[in-house]
Amino acid sequence: DAGVIQSPRHEVTEMGQEVTLRCKPISGHNSLFWYRQTMMRGLELLIYFNNNVPIDDSGMPEDRFSAKMPNASFSTLKIQPSEPRDSAVYFCASSSRTVVNSPLHFGNGTRLTVT
Amino acid sequence: KQEVTQIPAALSVPEGENLVLNCSFTDSAIYNLQWFRQDPGKGLTSLLLIQSSQREQTSGRLNASLDKSSGRSTLYIAASQPGDSATYLCAVRQGSGNTPLVFGKGTRLSVIA
């Protein structure tokens, strides 16, 4: 099991540019979560999907943020246009909705720096 | 709205010492509670998961307890080692199924050899 795979590991971009973060959940997991981590605010939920359907996107900070899950093995988080305050570590996590008390498995994150 | 607090924010102990990390949550109607470990530049690794009906879970030198009615959990680490140095995060799940976890900000632990 390769675990949750995120790419890229690091992204440095200039303000105004589009940023796309990618996630491959663990095979067989049908729930996927996007979190953002900063020193000030800790880990915050942005959006989550069950069976590829977005369930709650109330954590998405602005319309500049969007997320998709076109199939069970891939999700993207897009920021357009990016701003310096978007700099953070973005984590993707997955779990099995059919297993009671299934623990959450995290990827290694994407460290985003917007200059 | 559920809020999770972890105290202390940082802790430094000598190797071999037993230690306790604290977690509190404002809404006691939780489904389960999870403790994670995060190493610098890495993702989170699940350590222990306690169901709402359970009082504690153990894994090796780690023991997590849950007092749902008072909104508290503790993570006990026995005979600490330098390799235990990391940030430890507590998270609670409100509903069944796969509702999201609400995280505390973590306790940064340093074990000094």
Side-chain angles (χ1 to χ4, degrees), chain B residues 19-61:
Chain B
L19 59 101
V20 174
L21 307 180
N22 296 294
C23 171
S24 62
F25 44 96
T26 54
D27 186 349
S28 62
I30 65 168
Y31 186 71
N32 61 39
L33 182 146
Q34 237 175 304
W35 282 93
F36 292 86
R37 168 184 173 140
Q38 185 176 25
D39 293 287
K42 299 288 188 181
L44 282 69
T45 301
S46 179
L47 297 173
L48 290 164
L49 185 151
I50 309 177
Q51 300 175 38
S52 61
S53 58
Q54 296 176 324
R55 297 284 292 183
E56 66 177 345
Q57 281 284 338
T58 298
S59 176
R61 294 181 295 106

Side-chain angles (χ1 to χ4, degrees), chain A residues 86-102:
Chain A
D86 301 331
S87 298
V89 181
Y90 291 81
F91 286 103
C92 175
S94 71
S95 63
S96 171
R97 191 160 178 258
T98 53
V99 174
V100 176
N101 283 305
S102 171

Side-chain angles (χ1 to χ4, degrees), chain B:
Chain B
K1 179 184 173 185
Q2 178 72 272
E3 292 184 3
V4 180
T5 303
Q6 291 187 246
I7 296 174
L11 180 65
S12 183
V13 300
E15 182 178 5
E17 192 163 298
N18 302 326
L19 59 101
V20 174
L21 307 180
N22 296 294
C23 171
S24 62
F25 44 96
T26 54
D27 186 349
S28 62
I30 65 168
Y31 186 71
N32 61 39
L33 182 146
Q34 237 175 304
W35 282 93
F36 292 86
R37 168 184 173 140
Q38 185 176 25
D39 293 287
K42 299 288 188 181
L44 282 69
T45 301
S46 179
L47 297 173
L48 290 164
L49 185 151
I50 309 177
Q51 300 175 38
S52 61
S53 58
Q54 296 176 324
R55 297 284 292 183
E56 66 177 345
Q57 281 284 338
T58 298
S59 176
R61 294 181 295 106
L62 305 180
N63 176 277
S65 69
L66 174 64
D67 184 343
K68 202 172 76 160
S69 60
S70 67
R72 294 179 183 177
S73 176
T74 61
L75 180 66
Y76 175 83
I77 303 177
S80 58
Q81 303 170 358
D84 295 330
S85 298
T87 297
Y88 292 81
L89 295 104
C90 167
V92 299
R93 171 168 282 155
Q94 295 292 130
S96 60
N98 271 338
T99 51
L101 295 176
V102 178
F103 283 84
K105 291 187 177 179
T107 294
R108 189 170 67 255
L109 173 66
S110 297
V111 181
I112 310 301

